[in-house]
Amino acid sequence: MGMLVLTVLAQLSLEKVDAATGFSTWEPNLFSLLSPAAQEARDVLLTLSVSVHVGQAIWLCGMAATGFVLLTAANLRNRLIALAPVVAGAVIALLVLPSDPRQVYVVDKAAARLVCDGPVCVTNTHRARLNDFAGPARDALRMMSSALGDQAPISIREDTEVWPDSSRPPRSRQTALFDFEDGEIAAAKGKELTRALIANSLVPRCSAYLGATSSSDVSAQSIAASWVLDEPEPRSSNMAYLSSGQQDEIRKVYGELTSLPRAEQRSRISTMYLGAVACKGDPFAALGGGASR
C-alpha cells in the first residue's frame, strides 16, 4: 500500500501550471522518476536517458532487496536492518537520476537525423513523408517570401530539440519549425498542408507543450494564413473551436486589416511575426494595431 501511495504521489508531482498560458503541463522531476511508471515520451524521437535507466534500476533493486529480507526476517532487529537496502537505493538513485528535466529524455540521433529536399527537412523517422510534404512546404515558403520579402522564413524543418513542456524554446526567424505530433499538420495534405504550415510558421507557439496554443494564437494564425493566401475571409480548421464572438472578432480584424494600404498590411503582419517568434506581445492584438501586452 505504501508503494502504491508513493507511485500515485509521484505521478501527481508531474503536473505543473504554466504561469504564462495557464495550461497544465507535465514535467518530470527527481521524485516522479522514483516511480516505475515514467511519464510517456511526448515525441517519437525521444527515449529515456541512460542515467534514468541506471537510477531506476538501483532504486528498484534496493526495494527488491528490502522486500526479500523482510520476508525472511524473524525478529524486529532484522526487519529494521532490512530497510537499509531501500534507503541506500533511494539515496544512490537520487544522485544518479538527472535533476534537469531536459536530461530525462534524449533524442535518438539516428531517428532525428535530418533528410532534406532543398529547404524542406524531415527527420529520418518520417522520411517516407518527405515526398508528399516537400511540395506544399515549398509552396508555403514561396508564398511567405512573396508576402513578407526578406523577413519571411527561408526554410522549414521538423523540430528535433528536447524541451520540457513548461519551457519556451527559442525560435528562429529564418527557419520555421513544425512537429508531426501537431494534429493539423499531420492530417493535412496539399493546399491545406500549405495553409497549416504558413499559419504555424508565422505564429509559432511559444510553449513546448503541443496543447498550449491560445485563442490569440489561433486567431492570428487564421488571419495570417488567409492574408498570405489572399483570401476574402479568414478561415482555419481551428476556428471551429472558438466561440461565435471570437470568430466575429477575427472577421472584423481581418476586414480592417485588408482595407488598409498594402504597405500597412505588410507592416502589421511583419510586426506580428517578429513578436510571435520572439514570444513578445499578443499576436492578435498586433494585427489590430494594438500595443503588445
Side-chain angles (χ1 to χ4, degrees), residues 118-149:
V120 181
C121 299
V122 300
T123 61
N124 189 46
T125 298
H126 295 124
R127 67 184 306 159
R129 306 186 66 163
L130 181 59
N131 288 339
D132 293 332
F133 185 85
R138 281 197 294 268
D139 288 342
L141 288 171
R142 176 179 52 79
M143 291 177 179
M144 287 189 288
S145 177
S146 176
L148 295 176

PDB file of all heavy atoms in Angstrom, residues 118-149:
ATOM      1  N   GLY A 118      15.903  20.172 -50.624  1.00  0.00           N
ATOM      2  CA  GLY A 118      16.090  21.613 -50.694  1.00  0.00           C
ATOM      3  C   GLY A 118      15.943  22.241 -49.309  1.00  0.00           C
ATOM      4  O   GLY A 118      16.565  21.796 -48.349  1.00  0.00           O
ATOM      5  N   PRO A 119      15.093  23.269 -49.176  1.00  0.00           N
ATOM      6  CA  PRO A 119      14.939  23.959 -47.892  1.00  0.00           C
ATOM      7  C   PRO A 119      13.970  23.265 -46.938  1.00  0.00           C
ATOM      8  O   PRO A 119      13.676  23.784 -45.863  1.00  0.00           O
ATOM      9  CB  PRO A 119      14.387  25.326 -48.303  1.00  0.00           C
ATOM     10  CG  PRO A 119      13.567  25.028 -49.519  1.00  0.00           C
ATOM     11  CD  PRO A 119      14.307  23.923 -50.252  1.00  0.00           C
ATOM     12  N   VAL A 120      13.474  22.095 -47.313  1.00  0.00           N
ATOM     13  CA  VAL A 120      12.487  21.377 -46.501  1.00  0.00           C
ATOM     14  C   VAL A 120      13.119  20.111 -45.931  1.00  0.00           C
ATOM     15  O   VAL A 120      13.643  19.285 -46.685  1.00  0.00           O
ATOM     16  CB  VAL A 120      11.240  21.009 -47.338  1.00  0.00           C
ATOM     17  CG1 VAL A 120      10.212  20.297 -46.475  1.00  0.00           C
ATOM     18  CG2 VAL A 120      10.649  22.257 -47.979  1.00  0.00           C
ATOM     19  N   CYS A 121      13.082  19.974 -44.616  1.00  0.00           N
ATOM     20  CA  CYS A 121      13.724  18.828 -43.968  1.00  0.00           C
ATOM     21  C   CYS A 121      12.776  18.133 -43.000  1.00  0.00           C
ATOM     22  O   CYS A 121      12.032  18.788 -42.265  1.00  0.00           O
ATOM     23  CB  CYS A 121      14.973  19.268 -43.194  1.00  0.00           C
ATOM     24  SG  CYS A 121      16.262  20.035 -44.202  1.00  0.00           S
ATOM     25  N   VAL A 122      12.833  16.808 -43.004  1.00  0.00           N
ATOM     26  CA  VAL A 122      12.131  15.995 -42.014  1.00  0.00           C
ATOM     27  C   VAL A 122      13.158  15.060 -41.380  1.00  0.00           C
ATOM     28  O   VAL A 122      14.275  14.921 -41.869  1.00  0.00           O
ATOM     29  CB  VAL A 122      10.982  15.176 -42.643  1.00  0.00           C
ATOM     30  CG1 VAL A 122       9.957  16.082 -43.301  1.00  0.00           C
ATOM     31  CG2 VAL A 122      11.514  14.170 -43.652  1.00  0.00           C
ATOM     32  N   THR A 123      12.778  14.439 -40.294  1.00  0.00           N
ATOM     33  CA  THR A 123      13.698  13.514 -39.640  1.00  0.00           C
ATOM     34  C   THR A 123      13.714  12.170 -40.363  1.00  0.00           C
ATOM     35  O   THR A 123      12.814  11.853 -41.148  1.00  0.00           O
ATOM     36  CB  THR A 123      13.294  13.287 -38.182  1.00  0.00           C
ATOM     37  OG1 THR A 123      11.975  12.715 -38.143  1.00  0.00           O
ATOM     38  CG2 THR A 123      13.318  14.581 -37.392  1.00  0.00           C
ATOM     39  N   ASN A 124      14.741  11.408 -40.091  1.00  0.00           N
ATOM     40  CA  ASN A 124      14.867  10.090 -40.695  1.00  0.00           C
ATOM     41  C   ASN A 124      13.671   9.209 -40.359  1.00  0.00           C
ATOM     42  O   ASN A 124      13.255   8.373 -41.162  1.00  0.00           O
ATOM     43  CB  ASN A 124      16.163   9.432 -40.196  1.00  0.00           C
ATOM     44  CG  ASN A 124      16.489   8.159 -40.939  1.00  0.00           C
ATOM     45  OD1 ASN A 124      16.430   8.100 -42.164  1.00  0.00           O
ATOM     46  ND2 ASN A 124      16.820   7.110 -40.199  1.00  0.00           N
ATOM     47  N   THR A 125      13.086   9.411 -39.181  1.00  0.00           N
ATOM     48  CA  THR A 125      11.898   8.648 -38.778  1.00  0.00           C
ATOM     49  C   THR A 125      10.742   8.878 -39.735  1.00  0.00           C
ATOM     50  O   THR A 125       9.959   7.963 -40.024  1.00  0.00           O
ATOM     51  CB  THR A 125      11.473   9.040 -37.349  1.00  0.00           C
ATOM     52  OG1 THR A 125      12.526   8.701 -36.450  1.00  0.00           O
ATOM     53  CG2 THR A 125      10.197   8.318 -36.929  1.00  0.00           C
ATOM     54  N   HIS A 126      10.629  10.099 -40.241  1.00  0.00           N
ATOM     55  CA  HIS A 126       9.493  10.467 -41.099  1.00  0.00           C
ATOM     56  C   HIS A 126       9.900  10.663 -42.558  1.00  0.00           C
ATOM     57  O   HIS A 126       9.187  11.328 -43.314  1.00  0.00           O
ATOM     58  CB  HIS A 126       8.847  11.755 -40.575  1.00  0.00           C
ATOM     59  CG  HIS A 126       8.227  11.628 -39.230  1.00  0.00           C
ATOM     60  ND1 HIS A 126       8.558  12.427 -38.155  1.00  0.00           N
ATOM     61  CD2 HIS A 126       7.290  10.753 -38.761  1.00  0.00           C
ATOM     62  CE1 HIS A 126       7.849  12.076 -37.101  1.00  0.00           C
ATOM     63  NE2 HIS A 126       7.083  11.067 -37.433  1.00  0.00           N
ATOM     64  N   ARG A 127      11.007  10.076 -42.966  1.00  0.00           N
ATOM     65  CA  ARG A 127      11.492  10.293 -44.327  1.00  0.00           C
ATOM     66  C   ARG A 127      10.493   9.812 -45.386  1.00  0.00           C
ATOM     67  O   ARG A 127      10.453  10.349 -46.504  1.00  0.00           O
ATOM     68  CB  ARG A 127      12.836   9.607 -44.523  1.00  0.00           C
ATOM     69  CG  ARG A 127      12.818   8.096 -44.477  1.00  0.00           C
ATOM     70  CD  ARG A 127      14.247   7.528 -44.595  1.00  0.00           C
ATOM     71  NE  ARG A 127      14.909   8.052 -45.783  1.00  0.00           N
ATOM     72  CZ  ARG A 127      16.228   8.066 -45.938  1.00  0.00           C
ATOM     73  NH1 ARG A 127      17.027   7.614 -44.993  1.00  0.00           N
ATOM     74  NH2 ARG A 127      16.749   8.536 -47.053  1.00  0.00           N
ATOM     75  N   ALA A 128       9.658   8.845 -45.047  1.00  0.00           N
ATOM     76  CA  ALA A 128       8.665   8.356 -46.006  1.00  0.00           C
ATOM     77  C   ALA A 128       7.623   9.426 -46.335  1.00  0.00           C
ATOM     78  O   ALA A 128       6.940   9.340 -47.359  1.00  0.00           O
ATOM     79  CB  ALA A 128       7.972   7.106 -45.462  1.00  0.00           C
ATOM     80  N   ARG A 129       7.506  10.451 -45.483  1.00  0.00           N
ATOM     81  CA  ARG A 129       6.515  11.500 -45.705  1.00  0.00           C
ATOM     82  C   ARG A 129       7.082  12.674 -46.498  1.00  0.00           C
ATOM     83  O   ARG A 129       6.353  13.604 -46.844  1.00  0.00           O
ATOM     84  CB  ARG A 129       5.980  11.995 -44.358  1.00  0.00           C
ATOM     85  CG  ARG A 129       5.444  10.895 -43.471  1.00  0.00           C
ATOM     86  CD  ARG A 129       4.794  11.441 -42.224  1.00  0.00           C
ATOM     87  NE  ARG A 129       3.600  12.208 -42.538  1.00  0.00           N
ATOM     88  CZ  ARG A 129       2.659  12.518 -41.655  1.00  0.00           C
ATOM     89  NH1 ARG A 129       2.776  12.126 -40.405  1.00  0.00           N
ATOM     90  NH2 ARG A 129       1.609  13.225 -41.998  1.00  0.00           N
ATOM     91  N   LEU A 130       8.392  12.656 -46.762  1.00  0.00           N
ATOM     92  CA  LEU A 130       9.032  13.816 -47.374  1.00  0.00           C
ATOM     93  C   LEU A 130       8.486  14.122 -48.760  1.00  0.00           C
ATOM     94  O   LEU A 130       8.267  15.291 -49.104  1.00  0.00           O
ATOM     95  CB  LEU A 130      10.551  13.607 -47.437  1.00  0.00           C
ATOM     96  CG  LEU A 130      11.364  14.761 -48.027  1.00  0.00           C
ATOM     97  CD1 LEU A 130      11.145  16.035 -47.221  1.00  0.00           C
ATOM     98  CD2 LEU A 130      12.854  14.406 -48.059  1.00  0.00           C
ATOM     99  N   ASN A 131       8.260  13.121 -49.580  1.00  0.00           N
ATOM    100  CA  ASN A 131       7.799  13.355 -50.951  1.00  0.00           C
ATOM    101  C   ASN A 131       6.473  14.107 -50.982  1.00  0.00           C
ATOM    102  O   ASN A 131       6.285  15.035 -51.784  1.00  0.00           O
ATOM    103  CB  ASN A 131       7.662  12.027 -51.704  1.00  0.00           C
ATOM    104  CG  ASN A 131       9.012  11.418 -52.040  1.00  0.00           C
ATOM    105  OD1 ASN A 131      10.022  12.115 -52.079  1.00  0.00           O
ATOM    106  ND2 ASN A 131       9.033  10.114 -52.259  1.00  0.00           N
ATOM    107  N   ASP A 132       5.535  13.713 -50.122  1.00  0.00           N
ATOM    108  CA  ASP A 132       4.237  14.376 -50.083  1.00  0.00           C
ATOM    109  C   ASP A 132       4.300  15.717 -49.350  1.00  0.00           C
ATOM    110  O   ASP A 132       3.464  16.590 -49.571  1.00  0.00           O
ATOM    111  CB  ASP A 132       3.201  13.482 -49.398  1.00  0.00           C
ATOM    112  CG  ASP A 132       2.894  12.232 -50.199  1.00  0.00           C
ATOM    113  OD1 ASP A 132       3.029  12.282 -51.439  1.00  0.00           O
ATOM    114  OD2 ASP A 132       2.533  11.198 -49.592  1.00  0.00           O
ATOM    115  N   PHE A 133       5.288  15.867 -48.487  1.00  0.00           N
ATOM    116  CA  PHE A 133       5.386  17.064 -47.653  1.00  0.00           C
ATOM    117  C   PHE A 133       6.148  18.201 -48.329  1.00  0.00           C
ATOM    118  O   PHE A 133       5.825  19.375 -48.147  1.00  0.00           O
ATOM    119  CB  PHE A 133       6.074  16.694 -46.331  1.00  0.00           C
ATOM    120  CG  PHE A 133       6.133  17.791 -45.323  1.00  0.00           C
ATOM    121  CD1 PHE A 133       5.070  18.023 -44.467  1.00  0.00           C
ATOM    122  CD2 PHE A 133       7.256  18.598 -45.225  1.00  0.00           C
ATOM    123  CE1 PHE A 133       5.117  19.040 -43.528  1.00  0.00           C
ATOM    124  CE2 PHE A 133       7.323  19.610 -44.285  1.00  0.00           C
ATOM    125  CZ  PHE A 133       6.252  19.839 -43.439  1.00  0.00           C
ATOM    126  N   ALA A 134       7.153  17.862 -49.118  1.00  0.00           N
ATOM    127  CA  ALA A 134       8.070  18.864 -49.665  1.00  0.00           C
ATOM    128  C   ALA A 134       7.372  19.874 -50.575  1.00  0.00           C
ATOM    129  O   ALA A 134       7.632  21.083 -50.484  1.00  0.00           O
ATOM    130  CB  ALA A 134       9.203  18.174 -50.423  1.00  0.00           C
ATOM    131  N   GLY A 135       6.494  19.410 -51.450  1.00  0.00           N
ATOM    132  CA  GLY A 135       5.813  20.321 -52.385  1.00  0.00           C
ATOM    133  C   GLY A 135       5.004  21.402 -51.676  1.00  0.00           C
ATOM    134  O   GLY A 135       5.220  22.598 -51.904  1.00  0.00           O
ATOM    135  N   PRO A 136       4.050  21.014 -50.819  1.00  0.00           N
ATOM    136  CA  PRO A 136       3.284  22.025 -50.084  1.00  0.00           C
ATOM    137  C   PRO A 136       4.161  22.924 -49.215  1.00  0.00           C
ATOM    138  O   PRO A 136       3.877  24.114 -49.061  1.00  0.00           O
ATOM    139  CB  PRO A 136       2.337  21.180 -49.223  1.00  0.00           C
ATOM    140  CG  PRO A 136       2.179  19.905 -49.982  1.00  0.00           C
ATOM    141  CD  PRO A 136       3.504  19.655 -50.612  1.00  0.00           C
ATOM    142  N   ALA A 137       5.238  22.375 -48.635  1.00  0.00           N
ATOM    143  CA  ALA A 137       6.126  23.185 -47.795  1.00  0.00           C
ATOM    144  C   ALA A 137       6.861  24.236 -48.632  1.00  0.00           C
ATOM    145  O   ALA A 137       7.007  25.388 -48.211  1.00  0.00           O
ATOM    146  CB  ALA A 137       7.127  22.291 -47.071  1.00  0.00           C
ATOM    147  N   ARG A 138       7.323  23.856 -49.826  1.00  0.00           N
ATOM    148  CA  ARG A 138       7.983  24.829 -50.698  1.00  0.00           C
ATOM    149  C   ARG A 138       6.995  25.913 -51.145  1.00  0.00           C
ATOM    150  O   ARG A 138       7.357  27.089 -51.272  1.00  0.00           O
ATOM    151  CB  ARG A 138       8.604  24.131 -51.911  1.00  0.00           C
ATOM    152  CG  ARG A 138       9.933  23.456 -51.620  1.00  0.00           C
ATOM    153  CD  ARG A 138      10.678  23.146 -52.917  1.00  0.00           C
ATOM    154  NE  ARG A 138       9.950  22.157 -53.697  1.00  0.00           N
ATOM    155  CZ  ARG A 138      10.149  20.842 -53.618  1.00  0.00           C
ATOM    156  NH1 ARG A 138      11.064  20.367 -52.780  1.00  0.00           N
ATOM    157  NH2 ARG A 138       9.455  20.005 -54.361  1.00  0.00           N
ATOM    158  N   ASP A 139       5.748  25.502 -51.393  1.00  0.00           N
ATOM    159  CA  ASP A 139       4.722  26.490 -51.742  1.00  0.00           C
ATOM    160  C   ASP A 139       4.524  27.482 -50.601  1.00  0.00           C
ATOM    161  O   ASP A 139       4.376  28.691 -50.827  1.00  0.00           O
ATOM    162  CB  ASP A 139       3.393  25.793 -52.050  1.00  0.00           C
ATOM    163  CG  ASP A 139       3.418  25.055 -53.378  1.00  0.00           C
ATOM    164  OD1 ASP A 139       4.304  25.353 -54.209  1.00  0.00           O
ATOM    165  OD2 ASP A 139       2.561  24.172 -53.588  1.00  0.00           O
ATOM    166  N   ALA A 140       4.525  26.982 -49.370  1.00  0.00           N
ATOM    167  CA  ALA A 140       4.364  27.859 -48.208  1.00  0.00           C
ATOM    168  C   ALA A 140       5.516  28.853 -48.109  1.00  0.00           C
ATOM    169  O   ALA A 140       5.306  30.046 -47.861  1.00  0.00           O
ATOM    170  CB  ALA A 140       4.272  27.023 -46.928  1.00  0.00           C
ATOM    171  N   LEU A 141       6.741  28.380 -48.319  1.00  0.00           N
ATOM    172  CA  LEU A 141       7.907  29.265 -48.274  1.00  0.00           C
ATOM    173  C   LEU A 141       7.843  30.317 -49.381  1.00  0.00           C
ATOM    174  O   LEU A 141       8.152  31.499 -49.146  1.00  0.00           O
ATOM    175  CB  LEU A 141       9.193  28.450 -48.410  1.00  0.00           C
ATOM    176  CG  LEU A 141       9.590  27.590 -47.207  1.00  0.00           C
ATOM    177  CD1 LEU A 141      10.761  26.686 -47.567  1.00  0.00           C
ATOM    178  CD2 LEU A 141       9.942  28.463 -46.002  1.00  0.00           C
ATOM    179  N   ARG A 142       7.447  29.894 -50.563  1.00  0.00           N
ATOM    180  CA  ARG A 142       7.366  30.840 -51.686  1.00  0.00           C
ATOM    181  C   ARG A 142       6.320  31.919 -51.417  1.00  0.00           C
ATOM    182  O   ARG A 142       6.570  33.113 -51.648  1.00  0.00           O
ATOM    183  CB  ARG A 142       7.030  30.073 -52.966  1.00  0.00           C
ATOM    184  CG  ARG A 142       6.813  30.955 -54.190  1.00  0.00           C
ATOM    185  CD  ARG A 142       6.519  30.125 -55.422  1.00  0.00           C
ATOM    186  NE  ARG A 142       5.429  29.176 -55.212  1.00  0.00           N
ATOM    187  CZ  ARG A 142       4.142  29.504 -55.238  1.00  0.00           C
ATOM    188  NH1 ARG A 142       3.785  30.769 -55.450  1.00  0.00           N
ATOM    189  NH2 ARG A 142       3.206  28.589 -55.057  1.00  0.00           N
ATOM    190  N   MET A 143       5.173  31.519 -50.911  1.00  0.00           N
ATOM    191  CA  MET A 143       4.098  32.488 -50.657  1.00  0.00           C
ATOM    192  C   MET A 143       4.468  33.446 -49.523  1.00  0.00           C
ATOM    193  O   MET A 143       4.185  34.649 -49.596  1.00  0.00           O
ATOM    194  CB  MET A 143       2.809  31.743 -50.315  1.00  0.00           C
ATOM    195  CG  MET A 143       2.213  30.988 -51.476  1.00  0.00           C
ATOM    196  SD  MET A 143       0.730  30.054 -51.004  1.00  0.00           S
ATOM    197  CE  MET A 143       0.288  29.319 -52.567  1.00  0.00           C
ATOM    198  N   MET A 144       5.117  32.926 -48.476  1.00  0.00           N
ATOM    199  CA  MET A 144       5.527  33.805 -47.375  1.00  0.00           C
ATOM    200  C   MET A 144       6.605  34.772 -47.836  1.00  0.00           C
ATOM    201  O   MET A 144       6.619  35.940 -47.430  1.00  0.00           O
ATOM    202  CB  MET A 144       6.009  32.972 -46.194  1.00  0.00           C
ATOM    203  CG  MET A 144       4.892  32.261 -45.444  1.00  0.00           C
ATOM    204  SD  MET A 144       5.423  31.472 -43.896  1.00  0.00           S
ATOM    205  CE  MET A 144       6.378  30.081 -44.528  1.00  0.00           C
ATOM    206  N   SER A 145       7.494  34.312 -48.702  1.00  0.00           N
ATOM    207  CA  SER A 145       8.533  35.186 -49.236  1.00  0.00           C
ATOM    208  C   SER A 145       7.931  36.282 -50.103  1.00  0.00           C
ATOM    209  O   SER A 145       8.348  37.447 -50.043  1.00  0.00           O
ATOM    210  CB  SER A 145       9.534  34.365 -50.053  1.00  0.00           C
ATOM    211  OG  SER A 145      10.506  35.200 -50.637  1.00  0.00           O
ATOM    212  N   SER A 146       6.929  35.921 -50.897  1.00  0.00           N
ATOM    213  CA  SER A 146       6.265  36.904 -51.746  1.00  0.00           C
ATOM    214  C   SER A 146       5.531  37.941 -50.914  1.00  0.00           C
ATOM    215  O   SER A 146       5.493  39.126 -51.267  1.00  0.00           O
ATOM    216  CB  SER A 146       5.288  36.194 -52.684  1.00  0.00           C
ATOM    217  OG  SER A 146       4.556  37.120 -53.461  1.00  0.00           O
ATOM    218  N   ALA A 147       4.967  37.505 -49.782  1.00  0.00           N
ATOM    219  CA  ALA A 147       4.175  38.413 -48.954  1.00  0.00           C
ATOM    220  C   ALA A 147       5.028  39.265 -48.032  1.00  0.00           C
ATOM    221  O   ALA A 147       4.720  40.438 -47.798  1.00  0.00           O
ATOM    222  CB  ALA A 147       3.171  37.601 -48.129  1.00  0.00           C
ATOM    223  N   LEU A 148       6.112  38.695 -47.482  1.00  0.00           N
ATOM    224  CA  LEU A 148       6.894  39.389 -46.465  1.00  0.00           C
ATOM    225  C   LEU A 148       8.306  39.755 -46.897  1.00  0.00           C
ATOM    226  O   LEU A 148       9.033  40.405 -46.144  1.00  0.00           O
ATOM    227  CB  LEU A 148       6.965  38.529 -45.190  1.00  0.00           C
ATOM    228  CG  LEU A 148       5.650  38.288 -44.468  1.00  0.00           C
ATOM    229  CD1 LEU A 148       5.859  37.342 -43.298  1.00  0.00           C
ATOM    230  CD2 LEU A 148       5.056  39.597 -43.982  1.00  0.00           C
ATOM    231  N   GLY A 149       8.729  39.312 -48.062  1.00  0.00           N
ATOM    232  CA  GLY A 149      10.064  39.651 -48.523  1.00  0.00           C
ATOM    233  C   GLY A 149      11.148  38.967 -47.714  1.00  0.00           C
ATOM    234  O   GLY A 149      11.016  37.800 -47.324  1.00  0.00           O
TER     235      GLY A 149
END
